[in-house]
Amino acid sequence: MASSSSSSSLFMALLTWASLIAILSHVGSSSAQLSTNFYSKSCPGLFTAIKPVVQSAINKEARMGASLLRLFFHDCFVNGCDGSVLLDDSSTFIGEKKAAPNLKSLRGFNVVDEIKSAVEKVCPGIVSCADVLAVTARDSVAILGGPEWNVKLGRRDATTASQAAANSSLPPPTSSLRSLISSFHSNGLSTKDLVALYGAHTIGQARCTNFRAHIYNDSNIDSSFARERRAKCPSTIGDGDDNLAPFDPQAPTTFDNAYFKGLVKRKGLLHSDQEFYNGGSTDFLVRTYSTNPSSFSSDFVSAMIKMGDIKPLTGSSGQIRKNCRKVN
Ligand code: HEM
Ligand SMILES: *[C@@H]1O[C@H](CO)[C@@H](O)[C@H](O)[C@H]1NC(C)=O
Ligand SMILES: *[C@@H]1O[C@H](CO)[C@@H](O)[C@H](O)[C@H]1NC(C)=O
């Protein structure tokens, strides 16, 4: 009798302790459901399954690292990091792939399929496509020479996608600083997060249609840089729209702080890039990142983690898609 009552009070004490820990771990975090060890028991081979596939895709084409990083951004900004960007059109919805910011632009879907297959081989039905994108973005940055970080995991996949949301939630490259700040603020990201995340434009390329107006009509641009870019981007709309130029011509496949050095020289490729160094409130951040690569790295990492926290599906919401292109 005595022993049963003492074991039940021990049980109660443990229960209280456990709930205290649970409560504490939720304080100060908008998505305490995500954790870096989410799959440590259910899929310990996750990271070793993903990285070699990312590495071999980048070996085949170095730009792919940039394309994969961008996929994560375009996923998170449209109804949260829920893998919706990866869904093909279905009989019940039009997906996000043909939305204005993505059409003829977003790429890397076949590589994501390969990565997901590799993950399914080691842990079938366990890891979401949304989490695959988060890890893939991290590995892409690390492989191209950028910082590495522990990715928070535990997202689940959307069962629908929205072309309308993709059209309206991703800011266009003609955006002003003020509208970029407000778009990022509405996703819980600060102005500093915004500028640091934009440092992702140290890798990858853009199409003429997205920078034409900037190189022909903006005044806040280095004139010899504008001339160079005009040579491969005709002024007439429709002419050479898909011609590519690198954001960071010095090292387009190295994740470094050269993008910010370019902005200080007024060699930003998009109108929106140069907005961060145009006599406004973010000039000091651009200058800091241009001379201090480690402050860029650490702010980029914390902003990536915050971006990855945007409205994840957790618990029993959504599903773990088998094939990232379609609902189970
Ligand atoms: C809201 C602000 C942003 C705007 C307006 C913007 C705009 C663009 C545009 C217009 C392109 C070129 C697309 C094309 O011409 O086909 C591009 C490419 C790219 N963006 Fe952004 N971007 C933004 C934020 C970000 C963020 C936050 C990231 C990642 C953290 C990112 C990563 C990239 C990368 C890596 C590329 C190159 C992709 C490739 O070469 O395939 N961008 N962006
Ligand atoms: C999204 O934008 C594209 C291109 O401008 C347009 O064709 C499409 O109708 C838009 N979709 C929605 C649902 O607003
Ligand atoms: C530059 O601005 C003028 C006047 O607003 C406009 O007619 C022209 O189409 C613009 N050119 C480009 C390449 O955007």
Side-chain angles (χ1 to χ4, degrees):
M1 200 56 201
S3 103
S4 121
S5 117
S6 80
S7 77
S8 91
S9 61
L10 179 65
F11 179 69
M12 287 306 291
L14 283 173
L15 202 67
T16 314
W17 183 231
S19 39
L20 190 68
I21 290 174
I23 290 163
L24 284 176
S25 71
H26 280 74
V27 171
S29 164
S30 58
S31 60
Q33 308 96 312
L34 301 186
S35 65
T36 55
N37 61 1
F38 190 82
Y39 299 108
S40 59
K41 295 239 164 58
S42 58
C43 189
L46 175 62
F47 301 125
T48 44
I50 292 182
K51 196 162 185 183
V53 189
V54 179
Q55 179 75 62
S56 83
I58 290 175
N59 291 349
K60 244 179 254 161
E61 187 207 7
R63 182 188 172 195
M64 189 51 72
S67 307
L68 294 170
L69 171 58
R70 186 169 183 235
L71 272 179
F72 184 53
F73 164 54
H74 283 218
D75 187 31
C76 291
F77 262 61
V78 181
N79 292 326
C81 312
D82 61 0
S84 60
V85 72
L86 302 173
L87 287 167
D88 286 340
D89 295 350
S90 79
S91 56
T92 52
F93 59 79
I94 301 175
E96 296 164 18
K97 294 178 180 180
K98 290 181 201 135
N102 296 339
L103 185 67
K104 296 206 274 176
S105 178
L106 215 51
R107 55 203 296 281
F109 297 108
N110 293 334
V111 175
V112 174
D113 290 341
E114 272 179 60
I115 295 168
K116 175 66 168 169
S117 308
V119 171
E120 286 297 298
K121 232 175 243 159
V122 292
C123 346
I126 302 287
V127 182
S128 67
C129 297
D131 280 344
V132 162
L133 278 186
V135 176
T136 298
R138 185 271 309 269
D139 288 349
S140 297
V141 169
I143 289 167
L144 295 177
E148 224 168 332
W149 62 95
N150 293 325
V151 178
K152 287 166 74 176
L153 298 166
R155 301 170 191 83
R156 292 168 62 84
D157 294 324
T159 52
T160 187
S162 168
Q163 187 185 50
N167 276 351
S168 63
S169 308
L170 294 160
T174 48
S175 301
S176 65
L177 178 59
R178 178 210 270 276
S179 72
L180 291 168
I181 289 174
S182 98
S183 156
F184 275 61
H185 281 193
S186 66
N187 281 301
L189 297 168
S190 67
T191 302
K192 191 193 205 178
D193 295 327
L194 164 66
V195 178
L197 283 172
Y198 244 88
H201 287 179
T202 183
I203 52 175
Q205 308 192 21
R207 291 168 305 141
C208 166
T209 185
N210 282 318
F211 58 80
R212 177 181 284 125
H214 179 55
I215 61 174
Y216 284 98
N217 272 352
D218 281 351
S219 53
N220 187 25
I221 185 170
D222 175 85
S223 56
S224 72
F225 174 72
R227 213 174 311 118
E228 236 173 83
R229 286 292 167 269
R230 286 175 191 162
K232 287 178 184 162
C233 179
S235 62
T236 311
I237 294 174
D239 200 356
D241 279 5
D242 295 333
N243 294 357
L244 292 169
F247 282 103
D248 167 13
Q250 305 311 316
T253 58
T254 303
F255 197 99
D256 57 15
N257 68 334
Y259 166 78
F260 295 104
K261 295 183 183 170
L263 294 187
V264 170
K265 293 180 186 141
R266 297 192 154 71
K267 294 181 176 182
L269 185 58
L270 306 175
H271 173 83
S272 55
D273 288 311
Q274 199 59 58
E275 280 291 280
F276 298 119
Y277 194 81
N278 192 21
S281 63
T282 53
D283 283 16
F284 81 100
L285 277 170
V286 171
R287 252 185 261 111
T288 302
Y289 294 153
S290 75
T291 55
N292 191 339
S294 64
S295 89
F296 165 51
S297 284
S298 70
D299 289 353
F300 179 78
V301 164
S302 63
M304 282 294 285
I305 292 168
K306 271 169 89 173
M307 186 170 83
D309 273 344
I310 299 175
K311 289 193 284 175
L313 295 171
T314 57
S316 57
S317 312
Q319 60 176 220
I320 303 298
R321 263 183 250 141
K322 288 236 154 244
N323 175 341
C324 293
R325 292 176 181 270
K326 53 181 203 204
V327 171
N328 291 340

